[in-house]
Amino acid sequence: MSVVSPTVPPGLRVGRAALAVSFLLQGTTFALLVTCIPEIQDRYGLSDGLLPVFLAAVPILAGVGSILSEQLVKRIGARTVLRIVQPAVCLSLAGTGLGDSLWQLALALGAFGLLVGALDASMNMLGVGLQHRYGRSIMIGFHAAFSLGGILGAAVAGLGSHDDLGLPVLFGTAAAVIAPLAVLTGTFFAGPAELGDAVREAAAAAARSIPWRPLLPLCLAMAFAYIADASVSNYSVKYLTDGLGSRADLAKLSYLGYMVAMLLGRALGDRAVQRFGAVPVVRGGAALAALGFGLAAVAPGPWAGIASFTVLGFGICAIIPQVFAAGGRLFPADSDAAVARLNLFNYVGFLIGSPLVGAIADASSYRWALLAPMLLVLAVLPLAERFAPAPVPAPAAA
C-alpha cells in the first residue's frame, strides 16, 4: 500500500478527506439539479425550444466564474474561495426551486453557473495542491467522490419525486442540509500550514506554455466525452419522462445508473489499463458508450432506457481519466499545464452537448437526438492511438 511521505504534515490526511467530502457534496447538489430538469421546466413553463438556451447558459457562466475565481484565489487563497462558494451554490439551488417566472429562473441558474465555475476551479486547485504535497496521483479519488455524490443526489431526487415533495421543499431541504455540512467541512480544508506553496506552484506549473498541436487529439476526445456526459446529465431523465412515458421518480434512475457505472468503472479502470493497456480500454470505452446511446435511442420502455444509460456510464468512465493521463505522459515535466489545458474542453463539451441534443430533439425527437452524441463518441475510436504510452528507447549498443 502506498503511504504518504513522512515530510507531509499530519493534517494533510484530514485536508484530503475534507476535500473528498466537498466533492461528494457538489456531486449531490449537481445531481439534484440535473435530475429535476423536467420539474423545473414544468414549474416555470419553459418550452422545449428555450430549454437548451437556459442549459447552455450554465456552462458559459461557469467558465466565467472559473476565470474570475482565479483572481480571487490569488488574493485570498483557494481554501477561502471554496469555503464561501460551496454554501452559496446550495443557496442558488434552493433559489432555483422557489421562483415562478422565467426571469427568476434565469437569475437562479445564472448564479448557480457562476458559483459552480468558481467552486470547480477552487476545488480542483486545492486538489492539485494536495496532490503535489502527496507526490502521487490522488485526483481520481476526488472525482470518484463526486460520482458517489451524484448517486446520492439522484436517489434523493427520485424519493422526492415519488413522494411528490415539489421543488421548493426538495431543493430547500437539500440546501438546508448540504450548506451547513459544506461550512463544517470547510473548517478542515488544508491551508498554508499543510500545503505551503503547493497550490501556487501547481498554478504556476499549469500556466507554463506548452504547444497545442500534440494535445489537440486529446482535446477532441475530451470534448466528445463531455458532450456525451452533458447529454446524459441534462436529458436522460427528460428522455425517459417525455420519450418513454416513464414516471418522474423512475426516470431519476437513468442518471443514478449512469453515475453508479461511472463510480464502478473508475474504481476498476486503473486495473483494466494495467492489464490491457490504455488504447484498448479507450477503444472499448468509446464503443461501449456508443452502444449505450444506440440502445437508449431504440429503448422500448423506461427500464430498457435506464439499462442503456448504465451501459453508457461504463463506457464514458474509461475515456476521461485516460485523457488526463495521456496528456501527462506527453508532457511529463509540464503535466499540470497539460491537464489544465485539457480541462478547458470539459466546458466545451457541456457548451456543445446541451444545445445540440436539445435542438435536435425540438426539431424531431429525443430518439434521433441521442444519435448525435453517439456519432461523436465514436469519433474517439480513431483518436485512441494517441493514448498509447511513449515507446521506451532501446539501450545503446555497447
Side-chain angles (χ1 to χ4, degrees):
M1 184 190 302
S2 298
V3 295
V4 180
S5 167
T7 61
V8 176
L12 210 61
R13 289 185 185 273
V14 175
R16 179 183 178 184
L19 188 61
V21 172
S22 181
F23 270 85
L24 183 145
L25 295 177
Q26 173 53 10
T28 304
T29 305
F30 184 77
L32 280 166
L33 180 73
V34 298
T35 55
C36 289
I37 285 174
E39 289 88 344
I40 292 172
Q41 193 176 7
D42 290 343
R43 180 176 180 84
Y44 290 93
L46 188 62
S47 69
D48 286 342
L50 271 179
L51 179 62
V53 176
F54 276 74
L55 293 179
V58 174
I60 291 173
L61 290 170
V64 173
S66 179
I67 293 170
L68 293 176
S69 70
E70 291 179 11
Q71 302 305 314
L72 282 174
V73 167
K74 290 178 183 177
R75 293 173 178 266
I76 61 176
R79 177 175 65 170
T80 303
V81 171
L82 183 52
R83 283 174 171 173
I84 294 169
V85 297
Q86 187 150 42
V89 167
C90 299
L91 297 178
S92 68
L93 175 70
T96 304
L98 291 175
D100 54 16
S101 60
L102 285 180
W103 70 266
Q104 291 171 318
L105 177 62
L107 285 178
L109 284 181
F112 187 88
L114 283 170
L115 291 167
V116 160
L119 173 61
D120 181 55
S122 56
M123 204 161 48
N124 281 286
M125 286 179 195
L126 201 57
V128 171
L130 281 164
Q131 183 167 274
H132 269 238
R133 293 292 280 127
Y134 265 76
R136 58 185 173 87
S137 176
I138 60 173
M139 287 296 291
I140 291 176
F142 294 136
H143 289 276
F146 179 91
S147 298
L148 184 59
I151 294 168
L152 178 61
V156 169
L159 290 174
S161 181
H162 180 75
D163 294 337
D164 199 23
L165 293 182
L167 291 182
V169 174
L170 178 62
F171 286 178
T173 303
V177 173
I178 297 173
L181 286 175
V183 172
L184 177 63
T185 301
T187 62
F188 296 99
F189 289 151
E194 296 83 16
L195 293 176
D197 289 332
V199 174
R200 181 188 58 78
E201 291 167 1
R208 284 200 288 266
S209 177
I210 59 174
W212 270 103
R213 187 171 180 177
L215 279 178
L216 281 179
L218 298 178
C219 292
L220 287 173
M222 179 68 91
F224 296 153
Y226 270 105
I227 287 170
D229 186 68
S231 302
V232 178
S233 299
N234 291 325
Y235 290 107
S236 61
V237 174
K238 187 165 175 59
Y239 171 54
L240 259 71
T241 54
D242 292 5
L244 300 181
S246 170
R247 301 191 320 267
D249 56 346
L250 181 62
K252 307 294 193 250
L253 294 180
S254 61
Y255 187 74
L256 189 148
Y258 175 74
M259 294 305 289
V260 167
M262 291 278 278
L263 179 62
L264 292 176
R266 283 171 174 166
L268 301 174
D270 287 337
R271 293 182 182 178
V273 171
Q274 290 166 9
R275 181 171 181 178
F276 302 109
V279 173
V281 167
V282 170
R283 280 181 177 154
L288 194 60
L291 175 64
F293 274 120
L295 291 173
V298 299
W303 284 108
I306 292 165
S308 300
F309 287 116
T310 303
V311 169
L312 208 163
F314 277 115
I316 291 298
C317 74
I319 299 172
I320 295 170
Q322 290 308 310
V323 171
F324 288 123
R329 287 194 296 266
L330 273 177
F331 298 98
D334 293 300
S335 59
D336 292 315
V339 167
R341 190 164 291 182
L342 289 166
N343 194 53
L344 292 173
F345 287 81
N346 167 352
Y347 294 109
V348 172
F350 266 92
L351 183 57
I352 295 173
S354 296
L356 177 66
V357 173
I360 297 173
D362 190 45
S364 55
S365 71
Y366 282 106
R367 291 188 186 275
W368 285 107
L370 291 176
L371 298 180
M374 182 190 78
L375 293 174
L376 288 172
V377 82
L378 280 174
V380 174
L381 290 174
L383 301 173
E385 290 293 340
R386 302 302 183 109
F387 289 78
V392 179

